[in-house]
Amino acid sequence: MANSKPIPTLPFLLLTLAFTQQLLLSSSDQPFVGFNIGTDVSNLLPPTQLVTFLKQQKITHIRLYDPNPDILRALSATGIRVIVSVPNNQLLAIGSSNTTAFSWIRKNVLAFHPHTLITGISVGDEVLTTVPSSAPLLLPAIKSLHAALVASNLQNDVVVSSPHSASIILKPFPPSQAFFNQSLSSFILPLIQFLSETNSPLMLNLYPYYVFMQNRGFVPLDNSLFKPLPPSKEMVDPNTLLHYTNVLDAMIDAAYFSMKNLNVTDVIVLVTETGWPSKGDSKEPYATRENAVTYNSNLIKHVFDRSGTPLHPETTSSVYVYELFNEDLRSPPVSEANWGLFYGNATPAYLLRVSGIGTFLASDNANQTFCVAMDGVDSRTMQAALDWACGPGRANCSEVQPGESCYQPNNVKNHASYAFDSYYQSHGKSPGSCDFKGVALITTSDPSHGSCIFPGSKNLSNNTKQVVNTTHSSNAGDNLRLRPFGIRSIKISAINNILHILMVAAFPTLLFLL
């Protein structure tokens, strides 16, 4: 260092510090909320429309379950960051051949980079627990793909990792006693070490929903939903005396303690899947719209609060919500088709409560929402719903009478839409007020036309906007994603008795002081 350089003055240092802090705050390293997008739907949004929708919603990070070239091409020059995935059925070829790995990178990354911001590759999906026969191929595949990135000088732009089920971690509560499944140690240890060497994250699919469902009576619902808790209901780790106000933080810290047991402390947890279903069958009573709204709203706020976890308050994990769109082609149970925030046609399945966090998810906190009739419903069923709305439901149907402003077009769907919206608006857009036995849906598009002004527009023009709460587009819908992997409730089954056993046997008085 040359001694002749002038010593910076204090104002200059303060200015530099302020600039550096601002740079850090605007850095892409800051925690974010992204969304998983797949294609298991009957009516898929065309890629260009999908990208337009993402931009409208101010969504900056997505994860695709396969490197769909049309979507990647449509993402060009948008600034949206994307993780692309290697399906499980490609592990054998990539893990066995460096040439195949180089070809994959050339076809699915280099063909789009840098115009499309591909920032990560997720290799396989829960391979160690769902397809253990492929476990020996996982790290070789990751290393081969990374080597291809190094050869292309992209190793600093694109990370390579693999999403794992939470069940690779045993005894997750208290977090301080968690450890990786020892039967998988020959695969996990070298993988974690490789992630450390390459500055890559540990990808985990973490579902407090399944933890709650499989441990009801021991894990309170409020803890799973990020609801504010009095100290008496917080989860307490008896070894560290750290207090946990939500299940997700406890699961993340369990991963950090598990890595610490392997002498690895510099790998960050990236939550590649988390969410809550909005609808379920009779065996899934907690898969409801209200719980989905509460979980995902509080999750998003929790990430944007940047409060970290009790063990690492300085580190907030980024998360990818499962998922952006419902998938009507998913196999039973019912919840499998109802994890999305939106239907495939971009109408909301429900609306979040995330006002005050900027423009993210632009339409989720927009006050202008309407209830309209769904397409494809037979006229007899729609007529019955219309008759109920204008009769026992006491909707104002005067505008759809002959000669009035909303009579034309004179068909049952048009009249039903007006009646449904009248009922919906008069009930304050409350949960369930846009249902009508599955023939109605919520939309942010104003259905008014010509001189026909719908009740929602009249409310806005009269400065009587309602605060958006929870609403739902009742039944089937058009949805989105390709995911050739197992049902989540089966994949998480290894967690089934973990918390139960620990809560009862290890620390029954400290876990939940109810």
Side-chain angles (χ1 to χ4, degrees):
M1 180 184 297
N3 294 327
S4 61
K5 289 184 179 180
I7 299 175
T9 62
L10 180 59
F12 176 81
L13 290 174
L14 292 176
L15 181 62
T16 301
L17 178 60
F19 175 79
T20 302
Q21 289 176 332
Q22 183 62 35
L23 192 63
L24 288 174
L25 286 174
S26 62
S27 168
S28 60
D29 290 337
Q30 291 297 308
F32 60 82
V33 175
F35 290 88
N36 289 284
I37 301 176
T39 53
D40 227 354
V41 295
S42 56
N43 186 18
L44 178 65
L45 272 179
T48 53
Q49 292 184 25
L50 169 62
V51 171
T52 297
F53 173 72
L54 295 175
K55 291 162 64 177
Q56 290 172 343
Q57 298 298 322
K58 310 299 181 184
I59 291 171
T60 57
H61 293 75
I62 63 171
R63 177 171 169 244
L64 302 176
Y65 287 94
D66 70 333
N68 185 303
D70 294 327
I71 296 177
L72 291 175
R73 196 172 295 110
L75 288 168
S76 178
T78 62
I80 297 173
R81 291 167 167 80
V82 56
I83 290 179
V84 294
S85 302
V86 177
N88 285 351
N89 60 11
Q90 295 183 20
L91 281 177
L92 177 60
I94 293 175
S96 304
S97 168
N98 289 336
T99 301
T100 303
F102 274 67
S103 176
W104 195 95
I105 292 295
R106 185 166 51 251
K107 177 182 178 182
N108 300 301
V109 177
L110 294 178
F112 307 99
H113 181 85
H115 302 292
T116 297
L117 296 179
I118 299 175
T119 59
I121 301 171
S122 56
V123 183
D125 184 79
E126 303 186 356
V127 173
L128 300 182
T129 49
T130 60
V131 281
S133 61
S134 296
L137 298 167
L138 181 58
L139 186 55
I142 290 174
K143 287 185 173 181
S144 293
L145 291 168
H146 182 263
L149 292 173
V150 171
S152 305
N153 198 29
L154 291 179
Q155 70 276 14
N156 295 324
D157 299 331
V158 184
V159 299
V160 187
S161 188
S162 179
H164 299 285
S165 164
S167 60
I168 67 170
I169 298 172
L170 301 184
K171 296 186 178 180
F173 203 93
S176 61
Q177 294 183 1
F179 57 90
F180 289 116
N181 186 333
Q182 293 179 345
S183 68
L184 301 173
S185 59
S186 62
F187 305 114
I188 292 178
L189 176 58
L191 173 60
I192 298 296
Q193 291 172 336
F194 179 81
L195 297 179
S196 175
E197 294 167 2
T198 58
N199 195 30
S200 301
L202 173 63
M203 296 178 171
L204 289 173
N205 298 339
L206 303 179
Y207 287 94
Y209 170 74
Y210 288 113
V211 173
F212 168 74
M213 286 293 291
Q214 296 165 0
N215 296 277
R216 278 179 286 174
F218 297 96
V219 178
L221 181 61
D222 287 356
N223 297 64
S224 304
L225 295 174
F226 292 92
K227 286 189 174 182
L229 298 172
S232 62
K233 288 191 176 182
E234 293 176 353
M235 301 178 288
V236 181
D237 187 322
N239 301 311
T240 62
L241 299 183
L242 293 174
H243 286 235
Y244 289 86
T245 59
N246 66 83
V247 172
L248 185 67
D249 278 353
M251 298 176 81
I252 292 173
D253 276 357
Y256 283 125
F257 275 108
S258 298
M259 286 190 286
K260 185 177 180 181
N261 289 335
L262 300 180
N263 296 317
V264 176
T265 57
D266 59 352
V267 173
I268 301 299
V269 170
L270 174 63
V271 181
T272 38
E273 288 184 12
T274 190
W276 200 283
S278 62
K279 187 176 182 180
D281 57 30
S282 59
K283 296 181 180 179
E284 303 171 298
Y286 296 93
T288 65
R289 290 167 296 185
E290 179 60 26
N291 286 343
V293 169
T294 301
Y295 180 84
N296 284 323
S297 298
N298 289 339
L299 168 71
I300 292 169
K301 292 176 182 177
H302 187 65
V303 173
F304 286 166
D305 282 345
R306 297 183 173 91
S307 56
T309 65
L311 179 63
H312 287 296
E314 78 287 355
T315 303
T316 299
S317 291
S318 296
V319 304
Y320 286 84
V321 175
Y322 183 81
E323 58 188 327
L324 187 58
F325 298 99
N326 274 340
E327 298 184 83
D328 61 327
L329 300 181
R330 297 288 289 167
S331 301
V334 172
S335 63
E336 279 296 297
N338 291 277
W339 288 83
L341 274 67
F342 295 87
Y343 291 99
N345 61 4
T347 58
Y350 54 83
L351 301 178
L352 298 177
R353 306 185 189 103
V354 293
S355 59
I357 62 169
T359 58
F360 177 71
L361 287 176
S363 73
D364 75 324
N365 56 6
N367 289 324
Q368 192 170 1
T369 56
F370 307 85
C371 179
V372 298
M374 293 180 65
D375 293 328
V377 179
D378 68 89
S379 59
R380 180 175 298 182
T381 301
M382 189 66 74
Q383 184 66 56
L386 171 60
D387 292 343
W388 185 92
C390 294
R394 298 185 178 182
N396 182 359
C397 299
S398 60
E399 295 297 318
V400 295
Q401 300 303 314
E404 299 299 328
S405 58
C406 294
Y407 180 70
Q408 296 293 341
N410 180 20
N411 59 63
V412 65
K413 181 177 181 291
N414 175 64
H415 293 178
S417 288
Y418 187 94
F420 293 169
D421 193 54
S422 172
Y423 182 88
Y424 170 63
Q425 303 294 337
S426 67
H427 285 74
K429 298 186 269 192
S430 62
S433 62
C434 185
D435 190 290
F436 302 97
K437 294 187 177 181
V439 301
L441 58 79
I442 298 298
T443 180
T444 54
S445 299
D446 190 345
S448 302
H449 52 276
S451 61
C452 174
I453 307 301
F454 269 55
S457 288
K458 293 177 182 178
N459 287 349
L460 288 169
S461 63
N462 291 330
N463 295 318
T464 57
K465 296 181 181 180
Q466 302 287 339
V467 176
V468 169
N469 200 342
T470 311
T471 48
H472 175 61
S473 53
S474 46
N475 202 351
D478 303 318
N479 320 61
L480 200 104
R481 128 186 178 110
L482 168 85
R483 181 177 174 82
F485 310 127
I487 295 175
R488 226 159 321 281
S489 57
I490 296 175
K491 295 195 294 185
I492 307 298
S493 62
I495 299 176
N496 189 25
N497 294 316
I498 295 172
L499 294 180
H500 184 127
I501 295 171
L502 229 64
M503 292 170 191
V504 175
F507 46 99
T509 61
L510 284 177
L511 179 57
F512 298 111
L513 304 177
L514 298 176

